[in-house]
Amino acid sequence: MAPSVASFSAFVLAGLPLALGQFVKAPTNWTHATGYSDISVRYKEVPTGICELNSTVKSYSGYLDVDTNEHYFFWFFEARNQNPKDAPLTVWINGGPGSSSMIGLFQELGPCRVESNGTVVNNPYSWSESSNMIFIDQPAQVGFSYSTPVPGYTDPNSGSIVVLSNTTCPDYAEECGTYSYPNTTLTANSTAGVAPNFWKGLQGFMGAFPQYSRHEFNFATESYGGHYAPIINQYIEKQNDLIANNTLPKAHHINLKTVLIGNGWYDPLIQYQAYYNFTVFPGNTYDYKPFNESVSTMMYNALYGPGNCVDMTKDCYARGINSVCSFADNFCASNVENVLDVFALRDEYDIRELSPDPFPPTFYVDYLNSPMVQEAIGAYVNFSESNSAVSSAFGSTGDDDREDGTIEALKSLVHDNMTIVLYAGDADYNCNWLGGEVVAEEVNAPGFSTAGYTNITSADNVVHAQVKQSGKFSFVRVFESGHEVPFYQPLMSLEMFDRAIHGKDIATGRRTVKGGYKTSGSAKSTYREGNSTVQFEVVNATATYNTTLNEPDATSAKKSFKAANKRRLFKPAKSVVDLTS
Ligand SMILES: *[C@@H]1O[C@H](CO)[C@@H](O)[C@H](O)[C@H]1NC(C)=O
Ligand SMILES: *[C@@H]1O[C@H](CO)[C@@H](O)[C@H](O)[C@H]1NC(C)=O
Ligand SMILES: *[C@@H]1O[C@H](CO)[C@@H](O)[C@H](O)[C@H]1NC(C)=O
Ligand SMILES: *[C@@H]1O[C@H](CO)[C@@H](O)[C@H](O)[C@H]1NC(C)=O
Ligand SMILES: *[C@@H]1O[C@H](CO)[C@@H](O)[C@H](O)[C@H]1NC(C)=O
Ligand SMILES: *[C@@H]1O[C@H](CO)[C@@H](O)[C@H](O)[C@H]1NC(C)=O
Ligand SMILES: *[C@@H]1O[C@H](CO)[C@@H](O)[C@H](O)[C@H]1NC(C)=O
Ligand SMILES: *[C@@H]1O[C@H](CO)[C@@H](O)[C@H](O)[C@H]1NC(C)=O
Ligand SMILES: *[C@@H]1O[C@H](CO)[C@@H](O)[C@H](O)[C@H]1NC(C)=O
Ligand SMILES: *[C@@H]1O[C@H](CO)[C@@H](O)[C@H](O)[C@H]1NC(C)=O
Ligand SMILES: *[C@@H]1O[C@H](CO)[C@@H](O)[C@H](O)[C@H]1NC(C)=O
Ligand SMILES: *[C@@H]1O[C@H](CO)[C@@H](O)[C@H](O)[C@H]1NC(C)=O
């Protein structure tokens, strides 16, 4: 029996993305496999104690070689408490664009968490309690994924990788390491651009591990995943059609059943406007008004004044020109979205906290940069949470300001009878629930407009969320939760996930959902938390978050204005969904 806690030496709170200056030794001793569609896969079995602490539950990591010089890192965990060969398979990806899926694994819903002293602890609310789970870093160069590994360093001012010609670390570089060569050609620059290689990655994994891929397939994501999920899954369905008529003889049908999207960025025209709604009118449910009259009218004008954010975004939608969309996005991000950061000094991902917000903690970044962990998982490059080459590739097409057909794609998935859950933590400003709710209405699933909000039951008898559901389509508003919902509401998140993938109603998990199922209740979700969990001082960087009280633990929360975490303060120019996911 594995010990419940694995020890790991502590490297606490270094301010830079790469905590340890080190070059990564190329991993060896791969097991090679050829997946479906001839995709090559290299993997290792990950030893017990590197995240999964139960020795009877297996874990594998490695690379899916989706294209010449494009290698996607994956980390797979068997389902717990059941025969994993009988369990469904779920993929989780983070957004960004450019954010690593290790964010979801280590801060949200994976089998473990890393504490401030580097100790790995079990996450009893891991989604692997219900499903086999695979986490994929994509597109190429994100997280542990790579094009080609090169020596380099991160420029602290721009966040860009600067390549070195050899492994001598010059004195002008604060810290050197091994990075993916930052070539914006060897990745994707748009939502449509990620779908083919993502599909190839799944083909690779499913062929290399058929024992974990026999049953249903589910797709879960957040944030920029509001773009990724609809488009990737529509692509998967189209590939399935080609497989059905023998156009792709080496490919494998992917048995897609469920799509879950947390705090998604779907439709910028709706969601840029929602920044005003969330802060000014009608406001959030925390009775918190961040702006005075003058700032409120400034934000309103930046949105609706002639030629401003709304007009520019409509122009982007109408003409679809890269420079128009890119310019519009930069304008909206700086003049609308960023008003919260500048005038209220608050965390866009959780309005209850001032910046720098210590939650969710980032101790796992140092863990993933330790040679011991990198060797165990076969990493070729050092780890960073967000990749600037990928975010600038997407920036060049203005993808963030485009709707990209996400709502039509969601409609097509509804038509294909997929279970779809759009959920949103209601303290997140970045991809806030007011905008998410309008998107859910626009999808216009049969019966949805006349369904009502009802409380979701939980094993702890606390109401953590409300749902409006019609047939297999639902919208969930999660109380007392920032952007990364499974961090703030772990029990409800696991229950919601488990109910969704088993075709049960989200509200109770007791009924099998059929076409005519519909929740009843009020048309709007009116519950108000009030301001008792809103913080009015910066929280200590080593504080812990209490998911029962929905605020920092009192003993850990001693306020500090000094414990500034540079990583959170430094924001790339276009900050929309870059930073966390
Ligand atoms: C190489 O991998 C095999 C099987 O995956 C394992 O049994 C062996 O111990 C590994 N060797 C080294 C040197 O890590
Ligand atoms: C380890 O996992 C196995 C298989 O899921 C399970 O039966 C067992 O109870 C787990 N052990 C612990 C200590 O959680
Ligand atoms: C790490 O901190 C936790 C409490 O957060 C404590 O239980 C554990 O013993 C510590 N481990 C080490 C190795 O210091
Ligand atoms: C490494 O590269 C630098 C800069 O190009 C050069 O000055 C130095 O001599 C090189 N060192 C070695 C050991 O090749
Ligand atoms: C980026 O990769 C492409 C495709 O391999 C190559 O043609 C191009 O020269 C590379 N660009 C740079 C700056 O290295
Ligand atoms: C985006 O990528 C596509 C496909 O690789 C390429 O044809 C296009 O030129 C790129 N767009 C920009 C603005 O770089
Ligand atoms: C297979 O289906 C696709 C689209 O559904 C169509 O474009 C293609 O022509 C079909 N091919 C064959 C061989 O029937
Ligand atoms: C979806 O479900 C409905 C009702 O159960 C059924 O009539 C329809 O054929 C299904 N559509 C697809 C694409 O499977
Ligand atoms: C924001 O408020 C305006 C005016 O009340 C309303 O028309 C719009 O639908 C709201 N949008 C969102 C995303 O809540
Ligand atoms: C739903 O939950 C909220 C929050 O706990 C509570 O105030 C309300 O009374 C509940 N409504 C019903 C119908 O149980
Ligand atoms: C919190 O809300 C209460 C009641 O709505 C209000 O009286 C109080 O001023 C608010 N506190 C702050 C700090 O905004
Ligand atoms: C932050 O919390 C740690 C651990 O509880 C404590 O040692 C430290 O003094 C606190 N810092 C401040 C500035 O309160």
Side-chain angles (χ1 to χ4, degrees), residues 5 7-8 115-119:
V5 168
S7 258
F8 174 76
E115 298 193 330
S116 61
N117 59 12
T119 301

Side-chain angles (χ1 to χ4, degrees), residues 41-83:
V41 179
R42 295 164 287 152
Y43 66 90
K44 288 173 184 274
E45 183 172 341
V46 179
T48 301
I50 305 291
C51 197
E52 178 57 70
L53 301 172
N54 181 330
S55 61
T56 61
V57 180
K58 288 198 169 110
S59 148
Y60 298 91
S61 65
Y63 287 92
L64 311 165
D65 300 322
V66 297
D67 214 332
T68 310
N69 293 328
E70 295 191 51
H71 311 284
Y72 285 6
F73 177 75
F74 76 92
W75 197 338
F76 169 84
F77 299 89
E78 282 187 348
R80 295 167 169 175
N81 314 314
Q82 56 194 301
N83 183 345

